[in-house]
Amino acid sequence: MTTPDPEGLLAEQLLRLTRRVHRIQKRHLERRDLGVTPAQSRLLRTLAHYGSPPRMADLAARLEVVPRAVTTLVDGLEGSGKVRRMPDPTNRRVTRIELTDDGRATLAELRDARRAAAAEILAPLSAEQRELLGGLLDTLIDGAVDERC
């Protein structure tokens, strides 16, 4: 007889929930037909957190990807008018990326899609359960990170 593995069960539940969240968010994004991939969506959200247009290298570091990956994402978003490249005023070798008005409108649609997906996922929970889940998630998000992983 095998002994139960509670941590293994929790790990599997977290992975299943993550996949479900991804599927539901993807479906909500596709319904809005924004023409934005999940990776482009992440770049737009990241851009919105900067006070001034960041360098490509800053975006790569924040997204934890190689600079070439950012170039590809920016190429697609620039082609659809959601971002624009602009020269750095102090260093002509540096390119900065800024959201366009269309990019900001798309970002608002993305936020609405994420909220709708979250509402769908959280629908089975009572208000008390949602509050408890929020506290647990805060603990997990803010918890100590083992850098060896």
Side-chain angles (χ1 to χ4, degrees), residues 58-77:
D58 297 331
L59 288 170
R62 175 80 61 94
L63 294 169
E64 298 178 342
V65 299
V66 296
R68 177 70 192 133
V70 172
T71 300
T72 301
L73 293 172
V74 169
D75 286 347
L77 289 168

Side-chain angles (χ1 to χ4, degrees), residues 13-29:
Q13 288 174 310
L14 284 171
L15 290 172
R16 288 175 54 207
L17 178 61
T18 300
R19 286 191 297 266
R20 182 168 185 254
V21 167
H22 180 74
R23 271 192 323 273
I24 291 171
Q25 284 185 340
K26 185 177 178 185
R27 188 178 72 237
H28 280 269
L29 285 175

Side-chain angles (χ1 to χ4, degrees), residues 15-95:
L15 290 172
R16 288 175 54 207
L17 178 61
T18 300
R19 286 191 297 266
R20 182 168 185 254
V21 167
H22 180 74
R23 271 192 323 273
I24 291 171
Q25 284 185 340
K26 185 177 178 185
R27 188 178 72 237
H28 280 269
L29 285 175
E30 287 170 352
R31 282 183 190 159
R32 292 170 188 263
D33 194 29
L34 299 173
V36 175
T37 68
Q40 289 173 331
S41 166
R42 185 170 174 233
L43 187 134
L44 288 173
R45 290 191 320 270
T46 300
L47 266 174
H49 291 308
Y50 282 93
S52 62
R55 300 174 309 144
M56 299 275 271
D58 297 331
L59 288 170
R62 175 80 61 94
L63 294 169
E64 298 178 342
V65 299
V66 296
R68 177 70 192 133
V70 172
T71 300
T72 301
L73 293 172
V74 169
D75 286 347
L77 289 168
E78 187 176 39
S80 64
K82 293 173 179 37
V83 302
R84 77 175 131 254
R85 287 176 167 92
M86 54 187 290
D88 183 289
T90 61
N91 184 345
R92 66 183 180 168
R93 294 173 295 177
V94 173
T95 299

Side-chain angles (χ1 to χ4, degrees), residues 125-135:
L125 301 180
S126 68
E128 294 81 18
Q129 289 172 319
R130 288 177 190 211
E131 187 174 335
L132 177 61
L133 177 61

